[in-house]
Amino acid sequence: MDAPQPPMAPTASPFLDSGTHSSAGRLGVLQLKRDHLIPAVLSDSTSSEYAEGDVVNTRFGSFTHSSLINKPWGTQVLASVVDTGSRNAKSKKRKREANGDVDAAGETETGSEAPTRSVAKVATASSGFAHLVPPTPETWTLCLPHRTQVVYTPDYSFIIQKTRLRPGDHIIEAGAGSGSFTHAVVRTVFNGYPGLEEHKEEWQDEANGTETRKRKRRQKRHGHVYSFEYHKPRAEQLEKEITSHELDPMVTVTNRDVYKDGFCLDDDNAPSADVIFLDLPAPWLALKHLTRTPPPPAVVKSVASDPSTPTAKASTSTPQPEKPFRSPLNPKSTTRICTFSPCIEQVQKTVAAMRSYGWIDIEMFTMEHKRLEVRRERIGLAEEGLRGANPSPATVEEAVQRLREVEDRAKVFHGLQKEKQEQVMRKAEAKKRGDKVPPAENEDDGEVKRKKLEGLPPSKHDRLERAKKESANRSLFKEGRLVCRTENEIKTHTSYLVFAVLPIQWTAEDEAKARKKWG
Protein backbone atom coordinates (compact mmCIF):
# COMPACT_ATOMS: atom_id res chain seq x y z
CA MET A 1 0.00 0.00 0.00
CA ASP A 2 1.43 3.37 -0.96
CA ALA A 3 2.16 5.81 1.81
CA PRO A 4 -0.25 8.74 1.97
CA GLN A 5 1.06 11.93 0.48
CA PRO A 6 0.95 15.25 2.34
CA PRO A 7 -1.49 17.86 1.02
CA MET A 8 -0.06 20.27 -1.48
CA ALA A 9 -0.38 23.98 -0.91
CA PRO A 10 -2.18 25.92 -3.65
CA THR A 11 -0.03 27.59 -6.26
CA ALA A 12 1.16 30.88 -4.84
CA SER A 13 -0.30 33.92 -6.51
CA PRO A 14 2.22 36.12 -8.33
CA PHE A 15 1.01 38.95 -6.07
CA LEU A 16 2.11 36.95 -3.01
CA ASP A 17 5.23 35.23 -4.35
CA SER A 18 6.34 36.19 -7.84
CA GLY A 19 9.55 34.15 -7.70
CA THR A 20 12.73 35.28 -9.40
CA HIS A 21 11.75 34.70 -13.05
CA SER A 22 8.72 35.17 -15.24
CA SER A 23 6.89 32.05 -16.37
CA ALA A 24 4.34 31.02 -18.99
CA GLY A 25 0.68 31.28 -18.14
CA ARG A 26 1.23 33.89 -15.42
CA LEU A 27 0.97 37.65 -15.24
CA GLY A 28 3.87 39.91 -16.12
CA VAL A 29 4.13 43.70 -16.31
CA LEU A 30 6.04 45.69 -18.92
CA GLN A 31 7.31 49.02 -17.64
CA LEU A 32 7.81 51.52 -20.46
CA LYS A 33 8.08 54.65 -18.33
CA ARG A 34 7.70 55.49 -14.68
CA ASP A 35 3.92 55.83 -14.92
CA HIS A 36 3.31 53.74 -18.04
CA LEU A 37 2.96 50.00 -17.42
CA ILE A 38 1.22 47.30 -19.45
CA PRO A 39 0.06 43.95 -17.96
CA ALA A 40 0.16 40.76 -20.01
CA VAL A 41 -0.56 37.10 -19.30
CA LEU A 42 2.40 35.41 -20.95
CA SER A 43 1.55 32.65 -23.43
CA ASP A 44 3.78 29.62 -23.75
CA SER A 45 5.75 29.60 -27.02
CA THR A 46 9.19 28.76 -28.30
CA SER A 47 12.10 31.16 -27.92
CA SER A 48 12.54 31.72 -31.65
CA GLU A 49 8.92 31.96 -32.83
CA TYR A 50 5.72 33.78 -31.96
CA ALA A 51 2.06 33.39 -32.84
CA GLU A 52 -0.56 36.00 -33.54
CA GLY A 53 -1.93 37.52 -30.35
CA ASP A 54 1.22 36.65 -28.37
CA VAL A 55 2.64 40.14 -28.85
CA VAL A 56 2.49 43.26 -26.68
CA ASN A 57 2.41 46.28 -28.98
CA THR A 58 3.58 49.59 -27.48
CA ARG A 59 4.76 52.97 -28.69
CA PHE A 60 8.33 51.85 -27.98
CA GLY A 61 8.09 48.69 -30.05
CA SER A 62 6.54 45.24 -30.04
CA PHE A 63 7.46 42.58 -27.49
CA THR A 64 6.70 38.91 -28.11
CA HIS A 65 5.66 36.70 -25.21
CA SER A 66 8.48 34.31 -26.05
CA SER A 67 11.01 37.07 -25.33
CA LEU A 68 9.43 37.70 -21.90
CA ILE A 69 9.26 34.13 -20.55
CA ASN A 70 11.89 32.77 -18.13
CA LYS A 71 13.54 36.17 -17.68
CA PRO A 72 14.67 37.51 -14.29
CA TRP A 73 12.43 40.26 -13.00
CA GLY A 74 13.88 43.66 -13.82
CA THR A 75 15.41 42.52 -17.11
CA GLN A 76 15.62 45.06 -19.90
CA VAL A 77 13.93 43.40 -22.88
CA LEU A 78 14.67 44.60 -26.41
CA ALA A 79 11.81 45.11 -28.84
CA SER A 80 11.22 42.61 -31.65
CA VAL A 81 10.46 42.97 -35.33
CA VAL A 82 6.99 41.48 -35.79
CA ASP A 83 4.50 41.42 -38.64
CA THR A 84 1.26 40.01 -37.33
CA GLY A 85 -0.96 42.01 -39.67
CA SER A 86 0.13 40.20 -42.84
CA ARG A 87 -0.02 36.75 -41.24
CA ASN A 88 -3.73 36.51 -40.52
CA ALA A 89 -6.01 33.89 -41.94
CA LYS A 90 -7.31 36.06 -44.78
CA SER A 91 -3.84 36.89 -46.04
CA LYS A 92 -2.85 33.24 -45.92
CA LYS A 93 -6.00 32.25 -47.74
CA ARG A 94 -5.40 34.81 -50.50
CA LYS A 95 -1.87 33.55 -50.98
CA ARG A 96 -3.06 29.95 -51.23
CA GLU A 97 -5.80 30.97 -53.68
CA ALA A 98 -3.19 32.69 -55.82
CA ASN A 99 -1.19 29.46 -55.87
CA GLY A 100 -4.28 27.35 -56.58
CA ASP A 101 -4.08 25.49 -53.28
CA VAL A 102 -7.56 26.51 -52.03
CA ASP A 103 -10.88 25.69 -53.61
CA ALA A 104 -14.00 27.87 -53.69
CA ALA A 105 -15.25 26.55 -50.35
CA GLY A 106 -12.19 27.96 -48.61
CA GLU A 107 -10.56 24.63 -47.75
CA THR A 108 -7.13 23.30 -48.53
CA GLU A 109 -6.45 20.42 -50.87
CA THR A 110 -6.56 18.02 -47.94
CA GLY A 111 -10.02 19.22 -46.96
CA SER A 112 -9.00 20.77 -43.62
CA GLU A 113 -9.77 24.33 -42.69
CA ALA A 114 -7.12 27.00 -42.95
CA PRO A 115 -5.31 27.64 -39.66
CA THR A 116 -6.32 30.79 -37.80
CA ARG A 117 -3.01 31.24 -35.96
CA SER A 118 0.29 31.17 -37.77
CA VAL A 119 3.78 31.24 -36.37
CA ALA A 120 6.69 33.40 -37.49
CA LYS A 121 10.31 33.86 -36.53
CA VAL A 122 11.39 36.47 -34.00
CA ALA A 123 13.97 39.12 -34.89
CA THR A 124 15.38 41.81 -32.61
CA ALA A 125 14.53 45.39 -33.55
CA SER A 126 17.18 48.09 -33.92
CA SER A 127 15.66 50.24 -31.15
CA GLY A 128 13.10 50.15 -28.36
CA PHE A 129 13.17 48.40 -25.00
CA ALA A 130 11.10 47.88 -21.84
CA HIS A 131 11.68 46.46 -18.37
CA LEU A 132 9.93 43.30 -17.20
CA VAL A 133 8.75 43.73 -13.60
CA PRO A 134 6.73 41.40 -11.35
CA PRO A 135 3.04 42.03 -10.61
CA THR A 136 2.57 43.73 -7.25
CA PRO A 137 -0.28 45.80 -5.84
CA GLU A 138 1.77 48.90 -6.64
CA THR A 139 2.38 48.03 -10.29
CA TRP A 140 -1.16 46.67 -10.72
CA THR A 141 -2.61 49.98 -9.50
CA LEU A 142 -0.79 51.78 -12.33
CA CYS A 143 -1.84 49.41 -15.12
CA LEU A 144 -5.22 47.90 -14.15
CA PRO A 145 -8.26 48.47 -16.39
CA HIS A 146 -10.11 51.43 -14.89
CA ARG A 147 -13.79 50.80 -14.20
CA THR A 148 -14.05 53.48 -11.50
CA GLN A 149 -11.75 55.92 -9.74
CA VAL A 150 -9.10 53.80 -8.02
CA VAL A 151 -7.43 54.09 -4.62
CA TYR A 152 -3.78 54.81 -5.33
CA THR A 153 -0.71 53.56 -3.49
CA PRO A 154 -0.14 56.57 -1.16
CA ASP A 155 -3.77 56.42 -0.01
CA TYR A 156 -4.06 52.69 0.64
CA SER A 157 -0.62 52.54 2.26
CA PHE A 158 -1.74 55.15 4.80
CA ILE A 159 -5.07 53.38 5.29
CA ILE A 160 -3.36 50.04 6.01
CA GLN A 161 -1.01 51.68 8.50
CA LYS A 162 -3.70 53.74 10.22
CA THR A 163 -6.18 50.86 10.61
CA ARG A 164 -3.38 48.57 11.92
CA LEU A 165 -4.23 45.87 9.39
CA ARG A 166 -2.02 42.81 9.82
CA PRO A 167 -1.77 39.17 8.70
CA GLY A 168 -4.71 37.07 9.83
CA ASP A 169 -7.23 39.92 9.97
CA HIS A 170 -10.57 39.96 8.20
CA ILE A 171 -11.46 43.13 6.33
CA ILE A 172 -14.70 44.32 4.73
CA GLU A 173 -14.35 46.40 1.58
CA ALA A 174 -17.50 48.06 0.24
CA GLY A 175 -17.23 49.67 -3.18
CA ALA A 176 -14.60 47.42 -4.76
CA GLY A 177 -14.59 49.25 -8.10
CA SER A 178 -11.46 48.40 -10.09
CA GLY A 179 -9.87 46.24 -7.37
CA SER A 180 -6.80 48.32 -6.56
CA PHE A 181 -7.43 48.32 -2.80
CA THR A 182 -8.44 44.65 -2.90
CA HIS A 183 -5.06 43.54 -4.25
CA ALA A 184 -3.24 45.67 -1.69
CA VAL A 185 -5.00 44.40 1.42
CA VAL A 186 -5.01 40.73 0.41
CA ARG A 187 -1.22 40.83 0.49
CA THR A 188 -1.34 42.42 3.94
CA VAL A 189 -3.77 39.95 5.57
CA PHE A 190 -2.31 36.80 3.96
CA ASN A 191 -0.87 34.37 6.51
CA GLY A 192 -1.44 31.02 4.80
CA TYR A 193 -4.12 29.17 2.91
CA PRO A 194 -7.25 28.18 4.87
CA GLY A 195 -7.73 24.50 5.64
CA LEU A 196 -4.16 23.44 4.89
CA GLU A 197 -3.05 22.98 8.54
CA GLU A 198 -6.05 20.76 9.40
CA HIS A 199 -5.37 18.54 6.38
CA LYS A 200 -1.72 18.26 7.41
CA GLU A 201 -2.70 16.93 10.86
CA GLU A 202 -5.02 14.35 9.30
CA TRP A 203 -2.25 13.24 6.92
CA GLN A 204 0.23 12.85 9.79
CA ASP A 205 -2.23 10.72 11.76
CA GLU A 206 -2.89 8.53 8.73
CA ALA A 207 0.81 8.18 7.97
CA ASN A 208 1.61 7.16 11.57
CA GLY A 209 -1.35 4.81 11.82
CA THR A 210 -2.53 6.47 15.03
CA GLU A 211 -5.35 8.71 16.03
CA THR A 212 -4.22 11.60 18.18
CA ARG A 213 -6.49 13.18 20.73
CA LYS A 214 -7.70 16.57 19.62
CA ARG A 215 -6.30 19.15 21.97
CA LYS A 216 -8.12 22.30 22.84
CA ARG A 217 -6.08 24.97 21.19
CA ARG A 218 -6.79 28.15 19.37
CA GLN A 219 -7.31 27.48 15.69
CA LYS A 220 -5.23 29.63 13.41
CA ARG A 221 -7.24 32.45 11.87
CA HIS A 222 -6.46 33.07 8.23
CA GLY A 223 -6.71 36.48 6.69
CA HIS A 224 -9.60 37.14 4.34
CA VAL A 225 -11.00 40.00 2.29
CA TYR A 226 -14.77 40.37 1.92
CA SER A 227 -15.37 42.65 -1.04
CA PHE A 228 -18.83 44.06 -1.80
CA GLU A 229 -19.80 45.78 -5.06
CA TYR A 230 -23.22 47.14 -6.01
CA HIS A 231 -22.63 47.19 -9.79
CA LYS A 232 -23.00 43.61 -11.07
CA PRO A 233 -20.75 43.85 -14.19
CA ARG A 234 -17.97 45.37 -12.09
CA ALA A 235 -18.37 42.67 -9.45
CA GLU A 236 -18.20 39.91 -12.08
CA GLN A 237 -15.13 41.44 -13.73
CA LEU A 238 -13.36 41.79 -10.38
CA GLU A 239 -14.15 38.17 -9.52
CA LYS A 240 -12.61 37.05 -12.83
CA GLU A 241 -9.46 39.06 -12.15
CA ILE A 242 -9.16 37.70 -8.62
CA THR A 243 -9.49 34.15 -9.92
CA SER A 244 -6.98 34.65 -12.73
CA HIS A 245 -4.52 36.15 -10.23
CA GLU A 246 -5.00 33.07 -7.97
CA LEU A 247 -6.23 35.15 -5.03
CA ASP A 248 -9.71 33.60 -4.78
CA PRO A 249 -8.93 31.50 -1.63
CA MET A 250 -8.43 34.77 0.29
CA VAL A 251 -11.06 36.99 -1.36
CA THR A 252 -14.85 36.74 -1.43
CA VAL A 253 -16.54 39.05 -3.94
CA THR A 254 -20.25 39.71 -3.38
CA ASN A 255 -22.65 41.68 -5.56
CA ARG A 256 -24.91 43.44 -3.06
CA ASP A 257 -26.47 46.73 -2.04
CA VAL A 258 -24.89 47.11 1.40
CA TYR A 259 -27.12 50.07 2.27
CA LYS A 260 -30.10 47.74 2.32
CA ASP A 261 -28.77 44.21 2.85
CA GLY A 262 -25.75 44.79 5.06
CA PHE A 263 -22.53 42.79 5.15
CA CYS A 264 -23.39 39.40 6.71
CA LEU A 265 -23.00 36.31 4.54
CA ASP A 266 -24.66 32.90 4.72
CA ASP A 267 -21.78 31.55 6.79
CA ASP A 268 -22.41 32.29 10.47
CA ASN A 269 -18.70 33.03 11.06
CA ALA A 270 -18.38 35.47 8.15
CA PRO A 271 -17.21 38.10 7.83
CA SER A 272 -16.21 38.66 11.49
CA ALA A 273 -14.31 41.74 10.39
CA ASP A 274 -11.52 43.53 12.23
CA VAL A 275 -11.21 46.40 9.72
CA ILE A 276 -13.81 48.18 7.56
CA PHE A 277 -13.15 50.25 4.42
CA LEU A 278 -16.08 52.08 2.82
CA ASP A 279 -15.60 53.68 -0.59
CA LEU A 280 -19.27 54.59 -1.05
CA PRO A 281 -21.23 57.68 -2.12
CA ALA A 282 -23.13 57.66 1.21
CA PRO A 283 -21.08 55.71 3.77
CA TRP A 284 -23.27 56.95 6.66
CA LEU A 285 -26.12 54.80 5.37
CA ALA A 286 -24.08 51.61 5.75
CA LEU A 287 -23.05 52.30 9.35
CA LYS A 288 -26.33 50.95 10.74
CA HIS A 289 -25.13 47.44 9.76
CA LEU A 290 -21.68 47.95 11.35
CA THR A 291 -22.65 47.79 15.01
CA ARG A 292 -22.32 45.12 17.69
CA THR A 293 -25.95 45.41 18.84
CA PRO A 294 -29.10 46.43 16.94
CA PRO A 295 -29.18 50.25 16.75
CA PRO A 296 -32.32 51.99 18.04
CA PRO A 297 -34.83 52.68 15.24
CA ALA A 298 -34.87 56.37 16.16
CA VAL A 299 -31.14 56.65 15.48
CA VAL A 300 -31.42 54.87 12.13
CA LYS A 301 -34.31 57.11 11.12
CA SER A 302 -32.44 60.30 12.05
CA VAL A 303 -29.36 59.28 10.09
CA ALA A 304 -31.37 58.46 6.94
CA SER A 305 -33.70 61.46 7.21
CA ASP A 306 -31.67 63.59 4.79
CA PRO A 307 -33.69 63.87 1.52
CA SER A 308 -30.49 63.80 -0.54
CA THR A 309 -29.66 60.26 0.54
CA PRO A 310 -30.63 57.31 -1.68
CA THR A 311 -32.81 55.58 0.93
CA ALA A 312 -34.91 58.67 1.64
CA LYS A 313 -36.76 58.27 -1.67
CA ALA A 314 -40.04 56.44 -1.80
CA SER A 315 -39.72 52.76 -2.55
CA THR A 316 -42.24 50.89 -4.69
CA SER A 317 -40.86 47.43 -3.94
CA THR A 318 -42.66 44.97 -1.71
CA PRO A 319 -41.39 45.22 1.88
CA GLN A 320 -39.40 42.19 2.96
CA PRO A 321 -39.63 40.64 6.42
CA GLU A 322 -36.83 41.82 8.68
CA LYS A 323 -34.11 39.29 9.48
CA PRO A 324 -32.73 38.88 13.01
CA PHE A 325 -29.80 41.18 13.60
CA ARG A 326 -26.33 39.66 13.26
CA SER A 327 -23.20 41.75 13.57
CA PRO A 328 -20.54 41.38 10.84
CA LEU A 329 -17.83 42.53 13.27
CA ASN A 330 -15.36 40.39 15.19
CA PRO A 331 -16.65 40.30 18.80
CA LYS A 332 -13.18 39.54 20.19
CA SER A 333 -11.28 42.52 18.78
CA THR A 334 -11.56 46.27 18.40
CA THR A 335 -12.88 47.27 15.01
CA ARG A 336 -11.35 50.11 12.99
CA ILE A 337 -13.02 51.81 10.06
CA CYS A 338 -11.97 54.10 7.23
CA THR A 339 -14.28 55.91 4.81
CA PHE A 340 -13.09 57.39 1.52
CA SER A 341 -15.04 60.48 0.45
CA PRO A 342 -14.29 63.17 -2.16
CA CYS A 343 -16.52 65.89 -0.65
CA ILE A 344 -16.45 67.54 2.78
CA GLU A 345 -20.25 67.39 2.96
CA GLN A 346 -20.00 63.59 2.86
CA VAL A 347 -17.49 63.73 5.69
CA GLN A 348 -19.80 65.82 7.86
CA LYS A 349 -22.69 63.37 7.47
CA THR A 350 -20.40 60.38 8.05
CA VAL A 351 -18.92 61.83 11.24
CA ALA A 352 -22.38 62.65 12.60
CA ALA A 353 -23.55 59.08 11.91
CA MET A 354 -20.43 57.60 13.52
CA ARG A 355 -21.11 59.51 16.73
CA SER A 356 -24.71 58.29 16.72
CA TYR A 357 -23.65 54.63 16.40
CA GLY A 358 -20.97 54.75 19.10
CA TRP A 359 -17.75 55.11 17.12
CA ILE A 360 -14.97 56.97 18.94
CA ASP A 361 -11.55 58.52 18.16
CA ILE A 362 -12.88 60.00 14.92
CA GLU A 363 -10.18 61.62 12.77
CA MET A 364 -10.00 62.99 9.23
CA PHE A 365 -6.97 63.16 6.95
CA THR A 366 -6.32 64.28 3.39
CA MET A 367 -3.45 62.98 1.28
CA GLU A 368 -1.20 65.25 -0.77
CA HIS A 369 1.89 63.54 -2.09
CA LYS A 370 4.79 64.35 -4.40
CA ARG A 371 7.28 62.04 -6.00
CA LEU A 372 10.99 62.46 -5.34
CA GLU A 373 13.57 62.09 -8.09
CA VAL A 374 17.02 61.04 -6.90
CA ARG A 375 19.79 61.06 -9.50
CA ARG A 376 23.37 62.07 -10.15
CA GLU A 377 23.90 65.43 -11.78
CA ARG A 378 26.97 65.98 -13.97
CA ILE A 379 27.67 69.60 -14.97
CA GLY A 380 30.51 70.91 -17.10
CA LEU A 381 31.65 71.50 -20.65
CA ALA A 382 33.33 68.10 -20.62
CA GLU A 383 29.88 66.49 -20.40
CA GLU A 384 28.71 67.88 -23.75
CA GLY A 385 26.99 65.26 -25.86
CA LEU A 386 26.65 62.69 -23.05
CA ARG A 387 23.23 61.37 -22.10
CA GLY A 388 21.83 62.56 -18.77
CA ALA A 389 24.40 65.37 -18.37
CA ASN A 390 24.09 69.15 -18.27
CA PRO A 391 26.66 70.59 -20.75
CA SER A 392 26.78 74.03 -19.15
CA PRO A 393 29.91 75.78 -17.77
CA ALA A 394 30.70 74.75 -14.23
CA THR A 395 32.92 77.79 -13.51
CA VAL A 396 33.38 81.37 -14.80
CA GLU A 397 36.76 80.45 -16.27
CA GLU A 398 35.17 77.72 -18.39
CA ALA A 399 32.50 80.09 -19.63
CA VAL A 400 35.02 82.80 -20.58
CA GLN A 401 37.27 80.27 -22.33
CA ARG A 402 34.35 78.88 -24.33
CA LEU A 403 33.29 82.39 -25.41
CA ARG A 404 36.79 83.13 -26.61
CA GLU A 405 36.87 79.92 -28.62
CA VAL A 406 33.53 80.74 -30.20
CA GLU A 407 34.66 84.29 -31.05
CA ASP A 408 37.94 83.08 -32.62
CA ARG A 409 36.17 80.60 -34.86
CA ALA A 410 33.57 83.22 -35.75
CA LYS A 411 36.29 85.69 -36.84
CA VAL A 412 37.88 83.12 -39.15
CA PHE A 413 34.50 82.11 -40.58
CA HIS A 414 33.43 85.70 -41.28
CA GLY A 415 36.87 86.44 -42.79
CA LEU A 416 36.48 83.56 -45.23
CA GLN A 417 32.96 84.67 -46.08
CA LYS A 418 34.17 88.24 -46.74
CA GLU A 419 36.95 87.08 -49.05
CA LYS A 420 34.53 84.90 -50.99
CA GLN A 421 32.08 87.80 -51.34
CA GLU A 422 34.81 90.18 -52.57
CA GLN A 423 35.88 87.63 -55.18
CA VAL A 424 32.28 87.35 -56.44
CA MET A 425 31.97 91.15 -56.65
CA ARG A 426 35.19 91.49 -58.67
CA LYS A 427 33.96 88.88 -61.15
CA ALA A 428 30.65 90.71 -61.50
CA GLU A 429 32.33 94.09 -62.15
CA ALA A 430 34.67 92.62 -64.76
CA LYS A 431 31.76 91.00 -66.57
CA LYS A 432 29.83 94.30 -66.50
CA ARG A 433 32.74 96.23 -68.11
CA GLY A 434 33.10 93.53 -70.74
CA ASP A 435 36.54 92.59 -69.55
CA LYS A 436 37.70 89.07 -69.57
CA VAL A 437 36.70 87.29 -66.35
CA PRO A 438 39.90 86.54 -64.42
CA PRO A 439 40.49 82.95 -63.37
CA ALA A 440 39.80 81.88 -59.83
CA GLU A 441 42.35 83.39 -57.50
CA ASN A 442 42.17 80.50 -55.08
CA GLU A 443 42.26 77.19 -56.88
CA ASP A 444 42.18 75.25 -53.64
CA ASP A 445 39.77 77.08 -51.32
CA GLY A 446 39.40 74.04 -49.09
CA GLU A 447 43.12 73.88 -48.48
CA VAL A 448 43.26 77.60 -47.65
CA LYS A 449 40.32 77.23 -45.25
CA ARG A 450 41.96 74.27 -43.56
CA LYS A 451 45.20 76.21 -43.02
CA LYS A 452 43.39 79.17 -41.52
CA LEU A 453 41.47 76.93 -39.11
CA GLU A 454 44.62 75.22 -37.89
CA GLY A 455 45.43 76.11 -34.31
CA LEU A 456 41.86 77.10 -33.48
CA PRO A 457 39.73 75.25 -30.87
CA PRO A 458 37.83 72.20 -32.20
CA SER A 459 34.31 72.63 -33.57
CA LYS A 460 31.21 71.33 -31.83
CA HIS A 461 31.12 68.26 -34.05
CA ASP A 462 34.73 67.47 -33.16
CA ARG A 463 34.04 67.96 -29.44
CA LEU A 464 31.07 65.59 -29.51
CA GLU A 465 33.04 62.89 -31.30
CA ARG A 466 35.88 63.21 -28.81
CA ALA A 467 33.48 63.09 -25.82
CA LYS A 468 31.87 59.89 -27.10
CA LYS A 469 35.25 58.20 -27.46
CA GLU A 470 36.38 59.27 -23.99
CA SER A 471 33.10 58.17 -22.34
CA ALA A 472 33.86 54.54 -23.24
CA ASN A 473 36.57 54.48 -20.55
CA ARG A 474 34.69 56.49 -17.90
CA SER A 475 32.56 55.20 -15.01
CA LEU A 476 29.72 57.62 -15.67
CA PHE A 477 27.44 56.16 -12.98
CA LYS A 478 29.93 57.20 -10.28
CA GLU A 479 30.46 60.76 -11.47
CA GLY A 480 28.64 63.93 -10.52
CA ARG A 481 26.81 64.91 -7.37
CA LEU A 482 23.76 63.22 -5.88
CA VAL A 483 20.69 65.48 -6.00
CA CYS A 484 17.10 65.03 -4.84
CA ARG A 485 14.27 66.98 -6.44
CA THR A 486 10.51 66.95 -5.99
CA GLU A 487 7.77 67.38 -8.55
CA ASN A 488 6.52 70.91 -9.08
CA GLU A 489 2.85 69.95 -8.95
CA ILE A 490 0.92 67.68 -6.62
CA LYS A 491 -0.48 64.81 -8.69
CA THR A 492 -3.35 63.40 -6.66
CA HIS A 493 -7.12 63.53 -6.51
CA THR A 494 -9.03 65.19 -3.71
CA SER A 495 -10.06 62.72 -1.05
CA TYR A 496 -10.88 62.76 2.65
CA LEU A 497 -10.13 59.76 4.83
CA VAL A 498 -12.20 59.44 8.00
CA PHE A 499 -10.97 56.98 10.64
CA ALA A 500 -12.81 55.76 13.74
CA VAL A 501 -12.67 53.00 16.34
CA LEU A 502 -15.44 50.79 17.75
CA PRO A 503 -14.34 49.16 21.05
CA ILE A 504 -15.19 45.65 22.16
CA GLN A 505 -18.65 45.44 23.72
CA TRP A 506 -18.48 45.49 27.52
CA THR A 507 -21.15 43.16 28.86
CA ALA A 508 -22.49 42.59 32.35
CA GLU A 509 -20.58 39.30 32.45
CA ASP A 510 -17.34 41.11 31.69
CA GLU A 511 -18.10 43.62 34.44
CA ALA A 512 -18.71 40.83 36.94
CA LYS A 513 -15.45 39.11 36.04
CA ALA A 514 -13.53 42.34 36.38
CA ARG A 515 -15.04 43.12 39.79
CA LYS A 516 -14.30 39.59 41.01
CA LYS A 517 -10.69 39.81 39.84
CA TRP A 518 -9.87 43.34 40.91
CA GLY A 519 -12.29 43.79 43.81
Side-chain angles (χ1 to χ4, degrees):
M1 181 177 180
D2 296 336
Q5 298 296 324
M8 299 298 293
T11 305
S13 167
F15 286 85
L16 303 176
D17 183 11
S18 59
T20 59
H21 291 67
S22 61
S23 58
R26 309 200 80 182
L27 184 66
V29 179
L30 275 178
Q31 184 177 24
L32 306 178
K33 295 192 300 183
R34 184 180 66 180
D35 293 333
H36 190 184
L37 296 90
I38 299 178
V41 178
L42 306 180
S43 302
D44 191 8
S45 57
T46 61
S47 60
S48 60
E49 297 179 342
Y50 69 96
E52 286 190 67
D54 298 342
V55 179
V56 181
N57 296 307
T58 71
R59 57 179 296 189
F60 298 105
S62 299
F63 302 88
T64 62
H65 288 195
S66 59
S67 63
L68 304 176
I69 297 176
N70 297 327
K71 295 292 180 64
W73 297 119
T75 301
Q76 185 186 77
V77 183
L78 300 179
S80 303
V81 178
V82 299
D83 185 18
T84 57
S86 62
R87 296 188 296 108
N88 53 38
K90 293 183 179 179
S91 298
K92 288 288 184 179
K93 181 179 178 181
R94 285 195 296 266
K95 292 180 181 179
R96 286 192 296 270
E97 288 178 349
N99 297 330
D101 297 335
V102 182
D103 57 12
E107 297 184 352
T108 59
E109 294 179 350
T110 57
S112 60
E113 295 183 356
T116 58
R117 283 168 59 92
S118 55
V119 178
K121 298 294 182 180
V122 176
T124 303
S126 59
S127 62
F129 67 88
H131 289 88
L132 182 63
V133 297
T136 63
E138 291 75 22
T139 57
W140 180 248
T141 299
L142 296 176
C143 64
L144 57 80
H146 281 228
R147 298 181 286 273
T148 58
Q149 176 66 50
V150 303
V151 181
Y152 289 95
T153 300
D155 293 319
Y156 67 62
S157 299
F158 182 71
I159 294 170
I160 292 173
Q161 181 268 335
K162 191 67 177 176
T163 55
R164 304 182 187 181
L165 191 66
R166 56 186 178 180
D169 283 350
H170 288 192
I171 178 172
I172 289 176
E173 175 200 16
S178 301
S180 171
F181 187 80
T182 310
H183 286 76
V185 295
V186 71
R187 181 184 60 181
T188 304
V189 303
F190 176 73
N191 64 336
Y193 292 94
L196 191 61
E197 286 76 7
E198 292 79 357
H199 292 312
K200 282 185 177 180
E201 292 181 358
E202 295 176 1
W203 167 77
Q204 291 175 354
D205 294 341
E206 185 178 355
N208 298 331
T210 60
E211 184 177 353
T212 58
R213 184 178 61 183
K214 293 184 178 180
R215 295 174 296 175
K216 291 185 179 180
R217 61 182 181 86
R218 183 180 178 184
Q219 188 177 3
K220 183 178 179 180
R221 191 167 187 255
H222 294 88
H224 203 89
V225 180
Y226 296 90
S227 184
F228 295 86
E229 174 57 46
Y230 173 76
H231 193 255
K232 187 175 182 180
R234 286 200 294 263
E236 293 175 350
Q237 184 62 30
L238 176 61
E239 191 169 10
K240 291 179 181 178
E241 290 177 354
I242 292 297
T243 303
S244 64
H245 297 165
E246 303 175 58
L247 295 172
D248 47 303
M250 289 78 65
V251 180
T252 300
V253 181
T254 305
N255 173 226
R256 176 183 294 180
D257 181 6
V258 295
Y259 295 153
K260 177 182 177 182
D261 301 325
F263 302 91
C264 292
L265 303 180
D266 296 336
D267 186 0
D268 294 339
N269 298 324
S272 187
D274 306 283
V275 177
I276 314 293
F277 177 69
L278 303 180
D279 186 3
L280 302 172
W284 59 92
L285 296 180
L287 292 177
K288 63 183 178 182
H289 303 288
L290 298 173
T291 58
R292 300 191 186 279
T293 57
V299 175
V300 178
K301 184 178 180 180
S302 63
V303 171
S305 61
D306 190 346
S308 63
T309 58
T311 56
K313 300 178 182 179
S315 177
T316 58
S317 59
T318 304
Q320 300 293 332
E322 294 186 2
K323 298 181 181 179
F325 178 81
R326 184 161 62 93
S327 176
L329 309 180
N330 185 2
K332 299 181 180 180
S333 69
T334 300
T335 303
R336 289 175 170 81
I337 190 173
C338 173
T339 65
F340 186 94
S341 302
C343 301
I344 194 65
E345 291 79 8
Q346 295 171 307
V347 173
Q348 293 173 345
K349 296 178 183 179
T350 302
V351 171
M354 285 180 174
R355 290 171 178 167
S356 301
Y357 290 122
W359 294 84
I360 61 175
D361 293 344
I362 303 175
E363 299 176 291
M364 189 199 76
F365 297 87
T366 180
M367 299 296 297
E368 296 179 356
H369 58 275
K370 287 186 176 182
R371 282 197 175 94
L372 301 178
E373 181 185 9
V374 181
R375 61 183 178 86
R376 289 191 175 271
E377 189 177 57
R378 306 195 309 274
I379 301 177
L381 296 178
E383 311 293 339
E384 185 177 16
L386 298 181
R387 184 178 180 182
N390 184 8
S392 60
T395 61
V396 177
E397 290 77 7
E398 285 187 0
V400 173
Q401 181 64 27
R402 177 54 60 86
L403 289 176
R404 288 174 179 173
E405 294 176 359
V406 173
E407 290 178 356
D408 292 343
R409 295 190 65 87
K411 287 180 181 179
V412 174
F413 175 77
H414 290 304
L416 294 174
Q417 291 292 99
K418 186 176 181 180
E419 292 179 2
K420 186 175 182 180
Q421 184 66 23
E422 290 176 352
Q423 182 180 358
V424 172
M425 293 296 295
R426 286 195 299 269
K427 291 182 179 181
E429 292 177 358
K431 186 176 182 180
K432 186 176 181 181
R433 292 193 304 267
D435 298 341
K436 185 178 180 181
V437 179
E441 298 178 2
N442 298 323
E443 298 294 343
D444 192 2
D445 293 339
E447 185 65 21
V448 173
K449 183 178 180 180
R450 186 184 62 79
K451 290 181 179 180
K452 289 186 177 183
L453 293 177
E454 285 182 357
L456 292 178
S459 63
K460 183 178 180 179
H461 180 269
D462 297 335
R463 294 197 306 269
L464 295 179
E465 291 295 331
R466 184 177 61 185
K468 289 181 181 179
K469 293 180 181 179
E470 292 177 354
S471 64
N473 300 324
R474 293 171 56 184
S475 300
L476 299 179
F477 64 93
K478 295 182 180 180
E479 297 180 354
R481 61 175 182 172
L482 201 63
V483 295
C484 178
R485 294 177 179 173
T486 62
E487 293 179 331
N488 296 328
E489 299 180 357
I490 298 176
K491 296 181 179 179
T492 182
H493 60 282
T494 304
S495 61
Y496 299 100
L497 303 176
V498 180
F499 296 90
V501 176
L502 187 64
I504 301 176
Q505 185 179 7
W506 189 257
T507 61
E509 184 180 356
D510 296 329
E511 181 70 19
K513 289 182 179 179
R515 289 184 178 276
K516 182 178 181 180
K517 182 176 182 181
W518 302 105

